[in-house]
Amino acid sequence: MHSLQQALDGLLGDELDTPSPIVVRETMQRNIERMQALADERHQHLRPHVKTHKCLEIGRLQLAAGAAGITAGTVGEAEVFAAAGFDDIFLAYPVWPAGTKGRRIRRLAERVGLRVGVDSFESVDALADAMGDAPDRLQIVVEVDCGARRSGTTAEQAGRLAAHARARGLVPVGIYTYPGHGGSRPEDRVGAAKDQDQELTAAVRALAGVGVTAEVVSAGSTPTVEYSTSEVITEVRPGEYVFCDRDNVRLGACTDDQIALFVASTVVSTQVPGQAIMDVGTKALGREGNPQRGYGGVAGDPAVLSRLNEYHGYLQVPPEQSQPTVGTVLPVVPNHVCPVVNSFEELVVTDAQGASVERWPVAARGLLG
Amino acid sequence: MHSLQQALDGLLGDELDTPSPIVVRETMQRNIERMQALADERHQHLRPHVKTHKCLEIGRLQLAAGAAGITAGTVGEAEVFAAAGFDDIFLAYPVWPAGTKGRRIRRLAERVGLRVGVDSFESVDALADAMGDAPDRLQIVVEVDCGARRSGTTAEQAGRLAAHARARGLVPVGIYTYPGHGGSRPEDRVGAAKDQDQELTAAVRALAGVGVTAEVVSAGSTPTVEYSTSEVITEVRPGEYVFCDRDNVRLGACTDDQIALFVASTVVSTQVPGQAIMDVGTKALGREGNPQRGYGGVAGDPAVLSRLNEYHGYLQVPPEQSQPTVGTVLPVVPNHVCPVVNSFEELVVTDAQGASVERWPVAARGLLG
């Protein structure tokens, strides 16, 4: 029997409602320790991205294992963790401080060690304006594009941005990049990590050229961290490793037995032969996947969800298997775990036997800005 | 200037944070009244699906305009609306009453008029068991498949299910169907509505055959409601019409000027020529769309989001347009509005000039079971 099925079976006595996100604590703890050991071995700081779990308890486990601080994706995430005592936060996003955000960033920067990403002169200016008479409370990390073609400036331009931040009284501390082009196909992981090393190395030189020491040289990501071995890198920011998911198994970035989160889901209709309708749809899983690969699968089973509606998942039962009966609860493993956690108010945390139950709030759920 | 852009421009003085879901109240009210008029004209009840808005204030506007009751997709949605005084609720889902759900359904059924969907003998039995000594408090609506091949039994079998529900002391009141196969391509809408009429008509006969009068003959959906003209239909359950979205415009089920909800989103990076990165990704919009059609668009503009990450949308700027500058706020129209509303804690409700602001909670946000 698959280990996730075993945890689920243990829980079913306890009035478990579905859909419900279940975390197997030992598996998660092993993931936390394994990533920490990898970073330690390379003398890199580990700064886990909390957008994956949005959960204070899990952030604390990461710090307890040795993480140097956390990475956030939004001002709201940073605020929730800061309010709970996390005092070293990197907002790795080219945040634009309009609306209430300028004021909130300043308030955060006055309370905790806060770094934010920038990739334009305009955002440096806007952040300096937002910081008013205290620009030296805000650390600036210049984003460099290493090939993902999303955000981030060129390595060459990074020096000029750092110099401009310094001229505005902000504190440029280094550079970061996100090798997103290594997150789709297994064969792209190594190349994206190499691109990352190359651009970070060039950007370190560009910062040195304007007299800024890059104390922080920050690299992504769960799919590429295995190859982020360059000596120039001072920290890594993986997020998904804490739970793992089908996408990371497919990419070769984790193994099936490292998956620590599944969604307990009930078969609610079996009217169509070869198909079971589960009570898990896009509002739980997101629409992560495609028709060929499916949108999630059952742990330890070839069956995948071939289609989703909001509250319905279409499980295709392979011809050699019998159709599960209505009321059967199955462990559904997400393709991409981050949107799933964000769909729920709390995580059900259990052990490998499903014998214990704790409920941990998804404290930074939502908070998209 | 597009009307949604006008509302957005009016709001920008008020410290608007992005991403933020903005509802233009007059447009929504016209949508509510137009759908009510359509149902009234046909002597059908309108029972709007609240999974689209999950918002008590909007549900009340629908009732005030003449809706007969509401449709919910989960027990949690039904509970939130029941607690707020909505007393006629159809849970149009083949709900399986395990965990706490059996108890919760019974409690609901004892407080409000509650109908639930069934498509199997097993679920009839499970619901009857859950209702204990009060099965006659729960109304049963048998789901009939009209070609969507999701859930729902055959028209023929519907009679046997209704008879079984009656034998168990439950109160069978009719049938429902969801013509989901009319929601993907414009050319499928009419056919799906015809399939729906045919299966509902056959199922009414099947119920009559076992001596059950189908007082309720309930049909979907925003894409097909225009064609749901059959005299056998007693009620329609559209949801998306209240806001409309790009998918419904594409299907011909609404027009661009009927779109009442957009996501205010800020350009945060313009490092890649021809592209603007917006602060709206899958955690706001869901991954609804495909690479060809995009995952959302700017109101009144050909530009679409060609790709999404969690907090990033890649806006492709057509060659003839200039790239928007960092900090520009644009009105992003979702492809599929339902997951978007569920991504936020509250809706920002304004008028066509963006001069007034109310914040209405997404009261049934999440609540996936």
Side-chain angles (χ1 to χ4, degrees):
Chain A
M1 186 192 294
H2 195 277
S3 62
L4 298 182
Q5 181 73 55
Q6 192 177 351
L8 175 58
D9 288 351
L11 287 172
L12 285 178
D14 296 321
E15 291 214 322
L16 182 72
D17 280 322
T18 63
S20 210
I22 315 292
V23 175
V24 179
R25 185 161 176 167
E26 296 97 313
T27 311
M28 175 177 67
Q29 185 63 32
R30 280 196 298 270
N31 293 343
I32 289 172
E33 289 168 8
R34 190 178 54 254
M35 189 61 76
Q36 189 64 52
L38 184 76
D40 288 348
E41 195 179 292
R42 295 174 180 169
H43 307 288
Q44 294 168 348
H45 292 303
L46 176 61
R47 185 181 286 279
H49 209 311
V50 300
K51 75 186 163 91
T52 301
H53 56 71
K54 289 177 172 264
C55 175
L56 300 172
E57 288 82 352
I58 298 178
R60 289 188 190 115
L61 292 176
Q62 291 171 318
L63 289 189
I70 59 167
T71 305
T74 69
V75 179
E77 283 179 0
E79 286 174 327
V80 165
F81 280 82
F86 291 73
D87 61 2
D88 187 346
I89 302 178
F90 175 23
L91 177 46
Y93 192 85
V95 63
W96 183 256
T100 67
K101 284 182 196 163
R103 198 165 64 230
R104 289 157 62 200
I105 287 170
R106 177 168 178 172
R107 200 157 46 204
L108 272 172
E110 290 176 343
R111 279 177 50 202
V112 301
L114 182 69
R115 300 171 183 168
V116 304
V118 300
D119 76 351
S120 69
F121 290 93
E122 293 88 338
S123 59
V124 168
D125 284 332
L127 287 165
D129 292 346
M131 290 301 295
D133 59 2
D136 60 328
R137 299 287 309 182
L138 187 63
Q139 298 173 35
I140 297 294
V141 190
V142 178
E143 184 174 4
V144 178
D145 179 30
C146 65
R149 305 299 280 159
R150 185 174 75 177
S151 47
T153 185
T154 60
E156 194 189 359
Q157 183 81 334
R160 287 192 279 272
L161 271 181
H164 185 61
R166 188 181 48 192
R168 290 295 315 259
L170 301 162
V171 185
V173 295
I175 49 174
Y176 79 108
T177 193
Y178 174 68
H181 56 315
S184 295
R185 299 183 309 171
E187 60 271 33
D188 296 334
R189 293 167 61 214
V190 180
K194 278 193 186 156
D195 293 345
Q196 170 181 266
D197 295 349
Q198 182 183 318
E199 293 307 313
L200 289 174
T201 304
V204 168
R205 276 199 302 270
L207 262 65
V210 298
V212 174
T213 304
E215 293 163 35
V216 176
V217 180
S218 180
S221 67
T222 298
T224 55
V225 68
E226 182 179 345
Y227 306 111
S228 297
T229 52
S230 164
E231 291 205 347
V232 75
I233 294 171
T234 67
E235 77 172 21
V236 288
R237 308 184 317 277
E240 295 161 354
Y241 76 94
V242 68
F243 298 133
C244 300
D245 54 23
R246 281 169 54 92
D247 281 350
N248 278 296
V249 172
R250 182 176 56 81
L251 290 170
C254 73
T255 55
D256 181 67
D257 62 349
Q258 292 168 352
I259 293 174
L261 183 149
F262 64 89
V263 180
S265 173
T266 300
V267 175
V268 294
S269 177
T270 57
Q271 292 295 313
V272 178
Q275 174 180 290
I277 296 296
M278 319 279 308
D279 63 355
V280 66
T282 55
K283 279 178 177 167
L285 297 177
R287 197 179 296 285
E288 302 285 317
N290 61 39
Q292 292 72 47
R293 185 187 302 158
Y295 297 91
V298 173
D301 196 297
V304 298
L305 298 165
S306 64
R307 202 177 153 195
L308 301 178
N309 299 142
E310 281 162 63
Y311 298 131
H312 300 77
Y314 296 62
L315 186 72
Q316 294 311 312
V317 183
E320 67 278 13
Q321 285 187 25
S322 57
Q323 207 179 15
T325 54
V326 172
T328 304
V329 183
L330 295 172
V332 170
V333 178
N335 284 348
H336 181 197
V337 71
C338 303
V340 178
V341 173
N342 192 49
S343 300
F344 292 95
E345 298 290 345
E346 55 185 20
L347 300 169
V348 176
V349 182
T350 188
D351 55 57
Q353 281 70 46
S356 66
V357 176
E358 288 184 46
R359 291 175 184 272
W360 293 358
V362 183
R365 185 184 176 209
L367 306 181
L368 307 180
Chain B
M1 184 191 295
H2 194 277
S3 63
L4 298 182
Q5 181 73 56
Q6 192 177 353
L8 175 57
D9 288 350
L11 287 172
L12 285 177
D14 296 322
E15 292 216 319
L16 183 71
D17 282 322
T18 64
S20 211
I22 315 292
V23 175
V24 179
R25 184 160 175 168
E26 296 96 315
T27 311
M28 175 177 68
Q29 185 64 32
R30 280 196 298 271
N31 293 342
I32 289 171
E33 288 167 9
R34 190 177 55 255
M35 189 61 76
Q36 188 65 52
L38 184 75
D40 288 349
E41 194 179 290
R42 295 173 180 169
H43 307 288
Q44 294 168 348
H45 293 302
L46 175 61
R47 184 181 288 278
H49 208 311
V50 300
K51 76 185 164 96
T52 301
H53 57 69
K54 289 177 173 264
C55 174
L56 300 172
E57 287 81 354
I58 298 178
R60 289 187 191 115
L61 291 176
Q62 291 171 317
L63 289 190
I70 59 168
T71 305
T74 69
V75 178
E77 283 178 0
E79 286 174 327
V80 165
F81 280 82
F86 291 74
D87 61 3
D88 186 345
I89 302 176
F90 174 23
L91 176 46
Y93 193 85
V95 63
W96 182 256
T100 66
K101 284 181 195 161
R103 197 164 65 229
R104 289 157 62 201
I105 288 171
R106 177 167 177 173
R107 201 156 46 203
L108 273 172
E110 288 175 345
R111 279 178 51 203
V112 301
L114 183 69
R115 299 171 183 169
V116 303
V118 300
D119 76 352
S120 68
F121 289 93
E122 293 88 337
S123 59
V124 169
D125 284 332
L127 287 165
D129 292 346
M131 291 301 295
D133 58 2
D136 60 330
R137 299 287 309 183
L138 187 64
Q139 297 173 35
I140 296 295
V141 190
V142 178
E143 184 175 4
V144 178
D145 178 30
C146 65
R149 306 298 281 158
R150 183 173 77 177
S151 48
T153 184
T154 60
E156 192 188 0
Q157 182 82 332
R160 286 191 281 272
L161 271 181
H164 185 60
R166 187 181 49 193
R168 290 294 315 258
L170 301 163
V171 184
V173 295
I175 49 175
Y176 79 109
T177 194
Y178 175 67
H181 57 315
S184 296
R185 300 183 309 172
E187 61 269 33
D188 296 334
R189 292 167 62 213
V190 180
K194 278 192 187 158
D195 293 344
Q196 171 182 265
D197 295 349
Q198 182 182 319
E199 294 307 314
L200 289 173
T201 304
V204 168
R205 274 200 303 269
L207 262 64
V210 298
V212 174
T213 304
E215 291 163 36
V216 177
V217 179
S218 180
S221 65
T222 296
T224 55
V225 69
E226 182 179 346
Y227 306 111
S228 297
T229 52
S230 163
E231 292 206 346
V232 75
I233 294 172
T234 67
E235 77 173 20
V236 288
R237 309 185 315 278
E240 294 160 355
Y241 77 95
V242 68
F243 298 132
C244 299
D245 54 23
R246 283 169 53 94
D247 280 350
N248 278 296
V249 172
R250 182 176 56 80
L251 290 170
C254 73
T255 56
D256 181 67
D257 62 350
Q258 293 168 352
I259 292 175
L261 183 148
F262 64 89
V263 180
S265 173
T266 299
V267 174
V268 294
S269 177
T270 57
Q271 293 294 314
V272 177
Q275 174 180 289
I277 297 295
M278 317 280 309
D279 63 355
V280 67
T282 55
K283 279 178 177 165
L285 296 177
R287 197 180 294 285
E288 303 286 316
N290 61 41
Q292 292 72 47
R293 185 186 300 156
Y295 297 92
V298 173
D301 196 298
V304 298
L305 298 165
S306 64
R307 201 176 153 196
L308 300 178
N309 298 143
E310 281 162 63
Y311 297 132
H312 300 76
Y314 296 62
L315 186 71
Q316 294 311 313
V317 183
E320 68 278 11
Q321 285 188 24
S322 57
Q323 207 179 16
T325 55
V326 172
T328 304
V329 183
L330 296 173
V332 170
V333 178
N335 284 347
H336 180 196
V337 72
C338 303
V340 178
V341 173
N342 191 49
S343 299
F344 292 95
E345 298 289 347
E346 55 186 19
L347 300 169
V348 176
V349 182
T350 188
D351 56 59
Q353 281 70 45
S356 66
V357 175
E358 290 185 46
R359 293 177 182 271
W360 292 359
V362 183
R365 184 184 177 209
L367 305 181
L368 307 180

